[in-house]
Amino acid sequence: MDAKDINIIELDNVTKSFGEVNAVVGLSLCVRKGGFVTLLGPSGCGKTTLLRLIAGFEQPTSGRIIIEGEDVTSAPPDKRPTSTVFQKYALFPHLTARDNVAFGLKLLKLPCGEKKLAGGGTKTLYRKLTKEEIRERAERALSVVGLTDCADRNVTTLSGGQQQRVAIARSIVLEPKVLLLDEPMSALDLNMRKEMQEELKRLHSRLGITFLFVTHDCEEAFSMSDTVAVMKEGAVVQVGSPEEIYNKPCNEFVARFVGAANVLGGRAAEGGVECLGITLPCDNELSAGEEVDVLIRPERIAVCDADGSADGKEVRGKIVTSVFKGTYFDTTVECGGVSIVARSDTGRTAGTEVKLTVQGDVHVMRREAR
């Protein structure tokens, strides 16, 4: 079996309740070894609780947590091959960057041999790291995150991005098999966030360990991850690549959460799906007459002047709003009582008549109960 196909984390029907509140409900999920997996969802959906369950900071109400083939459901955090980068970093403000990174190493014990027991069998012997070993490992970790020059600085004198790197170095110095990251960029400004996104991708590639990342930011999840697990109300709704999650969401919740979306009612017809009074080609097979939800992303809709007659593949409407967004205009068009959002290269005044054309196949989803 290819190493990339091995699951390093397996969650088996995990539930976590706080009194009468179910934060995680019957959740099962596999995390591939060496992957960069993001738990994505709105606030309160259970993603941080799930991360804490994997780390061992919380115990599940029911279900099993398996890491590297070992059931660690009841194991404490220090007995799991994981390390966590917290949202607020949790650095020691009175210590230097090096001493923050070295702190966990002072508690680390390495196997150094075996002792034969009088009654038979053996006992593993352990030793602590020397001061020289601790310093060497701490400086190597700081080098990995590009903070060698800041080793002797107190962490309170560092920028937010530098503090985050210290937190990451403190986690990777323990050589975990899984690095857990709980929204570590929420306190950074936009430019720093983008810089740290690139930094995390570089670190993941360099270290080769499994990253499990938590965020509510779709752009952040898509730009870094190879796999995204979308959560809602304590459960995983859909797992897939960023492209799959965006282009082929499983339902309306996922479609709307991960990006601007027109979700319209439709009915299966010969050659596609009837929607907005025209027949559109779709990306999957349907049973004739089946009622479905049709997803059309704004960037898939072309906005044209209303000159000339329609050819049966266009929808006519009037501009409601046209908002400049830097590289495009976010354009809302009313078409027969239905509001459609499109992206246009040209701004138009309210009331202007236009034609809309859908580019390519639309995505069809099973209609959920209203």
Side-chain angles (χ1 to χ4, degrees):
M1 179 183 291
D2 192 312
K4 293 183 178 181
D5 296 326
I6 298 174
N7 292 323
I8 193 168
I9 299 175
E10 296 178 53
L11 305 176
D12 179 18
N13 200 30
V14 173
T15 293
K16 176 61 180 179
S17 301
F18 296 97
E20 297 182 355
V21 178
N22 293 323
V24 176
V25 185
L27 189 149
S28 294
L29 176 70
C30 291
V31 175
R32 179 176 57 81
K33 184 176 182 179
F36 196 132
V37 180
T38 292
L39 301 176
L40 174 66
S43 298
C45 72
K47 54 189 184 294
T48 292
T49 299
L50 183 58
L51 202 76
R52 290 177 61 82
L53 288 167
I54 295 170
F57 299 125
E58 300 285 354
Q59 296 297 310
T61 305
S62 62
R64 296 190 307 152
I65 299 173
I66 299 169
I67 302 179
E68 286 199 308
E70 180 181 352
D71 190 331
V72 298
T73 307
S74 301
D78 62 329
K79 300 299 181 182
R80 304 187 184 199
T82 62
S83 191
T84 305
V85 178
F86 298 97
Q87 184 173 357
K88 295 184 178 180
Y89 310 151
L91 299 175
F92 297 110
H94 62 290
L95 298 180
T96 64
R98 181 191 292 108
D99 289 340
N100 264 278
V101 175
F103 185 84
L105 294 174
K106 297 176 182 179
L107 306 176
L108 187 66
K109 294 182 180 180
L110 300 178
C112 61
E114 293 184 342
K115 177 182 178 181
K116 291 184 178 180
L117 301 177
T122 59
K123 177 183 178 181
T124 302
L125 301 177
Y126 294 89
R127 71 171 180 88
K128 290 187 175 181
L129 295 173
T130 66
K131 290 183 178 180
E132 292 74 16
E133 288 174 322
I134 291 174
R135 185 181 181 88
E136 180 184 346
R137 288 195 180 198
E139 291 186 347
R140 186 164 63 240
L142 286 169
S143 175
V144 169
V145 298
L147 287 181
T148 301
D149 294 340
C150 299
D152 293 315
R153 288 176 57 182
N154 187 284
V155 291
T156 58
T157 69
L158 302 178
S159 68
Q162 289 172 326
Q163 288 181 9
Q164 185 196 55
R165 294 186 189 195
V166 173
I168 294 171
R170 184 182 58 183
S171 292
I172 65 176
V173 77
L174 299 174
E175 300 180 353
K177 299 297 178 64
V178 180
L179 184 63
L180 307 172
L181 302 108
D182 184 14
E183 299 200 60
M185 292 185 278
S186 60
L188 303 179
D189 61 47
L190 180 60
N191 289 336
M192 182 59 71
R193 284 171 73 102
K194 291 186 179 299
E195 180 180 327
M196 289 308 303
Q197 288 171 14
E198 292 300 319
E199 181 72 13
L200 280 179
K201 286 197 295 184
R202 183 187 67 80
L203 280 174
H204 176 256
S205 177
R206 179 173 178 178
L207 297 173
I209 63 177
T210 305
F211 277 28
L212 186 58
F213 187 88
V214 163
T215 186
H216 62 270
D217 188 310
C218 300
E219 181 181 350
E220 196 168 82
F222 289 168
S223 67
M224 295 191 296
S225 317
D226 53 59
T227 302
V228 175
V230 182
M231 292 186 64
K232 176 187 179 184
E233 297 177 353
V236 171
V237 181
Q238 184 175 359
V239 180
S241 68
E243 293 83 0
E244 291 169 338
I245 296 294
Y246 185 78
N247 292 319
K248 297 187 177 183
C250 65
N251 57 29
E252 183 176 357
F253 166 78
V254 177
R256 292 192 184 280
F257 184 76
V258 302
N262 298 290
V263 180
L264 310 168
R267 185 184 299 273
E270 184 177 351
V273 58
E274 290 181 355
C275 181
L276 296 172
I278 59 176
T279 300
L280 298 170
C282 59
D283 60 4
N284 50 3
E285 295 183 3
L286 303 170
S287 301
E290 180 181 356
E291 293 188 351
V292 293
D293 284 333
V294 180
L295 167 65
I296 311 175
R297 295 288 183 195
E299 64 270 19
R300 300 288 296 277
I301 302 175
V303 183
C304 306
D305 294 334
D307 300 337
S309 58
D311 60 5
K313 298 180 181 180
E314 302 162 334
V315 179
R316 289 183 178 272
K318 289 185 178 182
I319 298 290
V320 178
T321 59
S322 185
V323 181
F324 182 58
K325 290 297 183 71
T327 58
Y328 61 88
F329 288 84
D330 223 347
T331 305
T332 302
V333 182
E334 183 175 347
C335 304
V338 178
S339 291
I340 305 295
V341 179
R343 288 181 179 170
S344 174
D345 295 333
T346 305
R348 294 175 172 86
T349 57
T352 302
E353 293 190 358
V354 293
K355 293 188 293 187
L356 303 181
T357 304
V358 178
Q359 311 292 314
D361 293 353
V362 298
H363 177 62
V364 177
M365 304 171 291
R366 180 172 295 170
R367 176 166 293 183
E368 297 181 314
R370 294 293 197 269

